[in-house]
C-alpha cells in the first residue's frame, strides 16, 4: 500500500527565513511524487513534481529514495507562501493520487 | 491545462436527503476521480470514474451511498445518498490530463454540510 506522511500540521516561519516542509512516503515501486498547494479560497493546484526537477515560486523538492523523502524547501519565505501544502504520490501513469495530511505554512511578517 | 467546473460550490442539506454534485471539464479526459476531504483531514479517494464503465470504488466506499455517473468524456456526477452529519465534507472532482507526465487538476470543491 502506498502512504504519504507529513509530520507537521502547522509550520510557522518568519518572512525571509528558510522553509522546509517534510514529506515521507512508503511505496514498493518507483513512485512519482508531487507537491500540491491550496491558497486561501482557491482550488488545490499542482506546485511541482519530482520528475520535472523544477523550481516553482522559489520552491524545490528533491526525491531521496534512500530516505523515502520528498521535502519541500525554499530559502527565503514570503508572506504569499502562506497556504496548505500537500505532498502526494502516484504509482505512475493514470493512477489515483495518494495525499498526505497536509501542512499549513504560516509566514509571519 | 484542464479547467474544471464543479457545482454546487456549497450546500446545506437535511439528513436523509441526497445531493448530486456535478463536474464539468472543458476537455475530454479518460479518467475522473472523486475525493472527499473531511474537516481537518487529507483528501481521500472515493472512486474512479471512467466513461463507458462502472466506477471503481475504494475501500470503505460503496455505490449505494455514492452513486456516480459518467455519461461522456467531459462530465460526471457524484451523489451523496441518505446523508448524515458524518457526510459533511468537501467533495472534489479531479481529472488527469494526457501529456508527458500526467497532472491532476481539481475542481474548486463542494462544501457539504448536513444538518
Amino acid at each position: 500500500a502506498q502512504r504519504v506522511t507529513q509530520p507537521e500540521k502547522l509550520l510557522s516561519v518568519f518572512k525571509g527565513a528558510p522553509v522546509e516542509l517534510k514529506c515521507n512516503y512508503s511505496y514498493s515501486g518507483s513512485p512519482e511524487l508531487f507537491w500540491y498547494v491550496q491558497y486561501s479560497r482557491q482550488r488545490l493546484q499542482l506546485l511541482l513534481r519530482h520528475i520535472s526537477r523544477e523550481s516553482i515560486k522559489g520552491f524545490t523538492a528533491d526525491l531521496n529514495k534512500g530516505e523515502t523523502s520528498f521535502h519541500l524547501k525554499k530559502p527565503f519565505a514570503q508572506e504569499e507562501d502562506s497556504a496548505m501544502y500537500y505532498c502526494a504520490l502516484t504509482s505512475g501513469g493514470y493512477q489515483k493520487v495518494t495525499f498526505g495530511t497536509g501542512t499549513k505554512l504560516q509566514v509571519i511578517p | 491545462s484542464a479547467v474544471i467546473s464543479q457545482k454546487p460550490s456549497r450546500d446545506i442539506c437535511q439528513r436523509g436527503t441526497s445531493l448530486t454534485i456535478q463536474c464539468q471539464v472543458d476537455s475530454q479526459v479518460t479518467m475522473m476521480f472523486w475525493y472527499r476531504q473531511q474537516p481537518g483531514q487529507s483528501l481521500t479517494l472515493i472512486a474512479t470514474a471512467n466513461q463507458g464503465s462502472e466506477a471503481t470504488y475504494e475501500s470503505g466506499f460503496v455505490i449505494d451511498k455514492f452513486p456516480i455517473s459518467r455519461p461522456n468524456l467531459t462530465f460526471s456526477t457524484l451523489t451523496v445518498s441518505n446523508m448524515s452529519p458524518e457526510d459533511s465534507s468537501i467533495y472534489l472532482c479531479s481529472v488527469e490530463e494526457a501529456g508527458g507526465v500526467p497532472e491532476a487538476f481539481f475542481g474548486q470543491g463542494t462544501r457539504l454540510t448536513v444538518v
Side-chain angles (χ1 to χ4, degrees):
Chain A
Q2 50 199 54
R3 177 180 291 181
V4 178
T5 303
Q6 292 179 253
E8 303 143 328
K9 280 195 169 182
L10 173 66
L11 180 65
S12 297
V13 301
F14 285 101
K15 177 182 174 181
V19 175
E20 183 178 47
L21 299 170
K22 297 190 187 304
C23 172
N24 288 89
Y25 67 91
S26 63
Y27 181 67
S28 56
S30 295
E32 292 182 10
L33 275 297
F34 306 82
W35 276 98
Y36 284 85
V37 60
Q38 188 167 28
Y39 300 102
S40 179
R41 300 182 187 278
Q42 295 187 29
R43 68 185 63 196
L44 194 64
Q45 58 188 287
L46 179 68
L47 179 63
L48 55 79
R49 48 195 160 198
H50 89 270
I51 201 167
S52 301
R53 294 183 169 276
E54 56 202 346
S55 173
I56 303 294
K57 299 184 179 182
F59 285 98
T60 58
D62 292 319
L63 179 61
N64 185 322
K65 292 186 177 181
E67 296 181 358
T68 59
S69 68
F70 188 57
H71 302 327
L72 183 67
K73 300 177 183 179
K74 184 170 182 176
F76 307 104
Q78 298 173 309
E79 289 181 62
E80 54 265 32
D81 296 328
S82 295
M84 278 294 295
Y85 291 81
Y86 294 93
C87 184
L89 174 156
T90 179
S91 54
Y94 297 97
Q95 302 295 328
K96 68 176 184 179
V97 182
T98 298
F99 289 88
T101 49
T103 298
K104 182 176 182 177
L105 175 63
Q106 183 180 58
V107 181
I108 305 166
Chain B
S1 61
V3 177
I4 303 170
S5 299
Q6 192 175 332
K7 55 182 180 181
S9 58
R10 60 177 62 226
D11 207 342
I12 300 174
C13 300
Q14 297 288 326
R15 67 176 69 200
T17 62
S18 298
L19 175 72
T20 296
I21 303 167
Q22 299 180 4
C23 179
Q24 179 76 53
V25 190
D26 68 342
S27 58
Q28 293 185 339
V29 292
T30 303
M31 299 181 76
M32 297 179 76
F33 305 85
W34 286 98
Y35 288 85
R36 179 175 75 180
Q37 185 175 25
Q38 293 180 301
Q41 299 189 26
S42 186
L43 292 83
T44 302
L45 181 65
I46 297 172
T48 302
N50 294 334
Q51 194 269 335
S53 62
E54 285 209 1
T56 303
Y57 289 83
E58 297 297 305
S59 175
F61 298 96
V62 295
I63 187 171
D64 290 345
K65 177 66 176 178
F66 298 101
I68 288 172
S69 78
R70 182 79 201 274
N72 56 52
L73 291 173
T74 64
F75 188 77
S76 177
T77 67
L78 169 75
T79 299
V80 186
S81 303
N82 189 24
M83 289 183 284
S84 66
E86 292 72 35
D87 294 320
S88 297
S89 289
I90 297 173
Y91 292 85
L92 292 121
C93 170
S94 172
V95 304
E96 284 197 11
E97 248 191 1
V101 176
E103 178 178 338
F105 296 91
F106 291 85
Q108 74 273 33
T110 296
R111 184 180 293 273
L112 171 63
T113 302
V114 183
V115 298

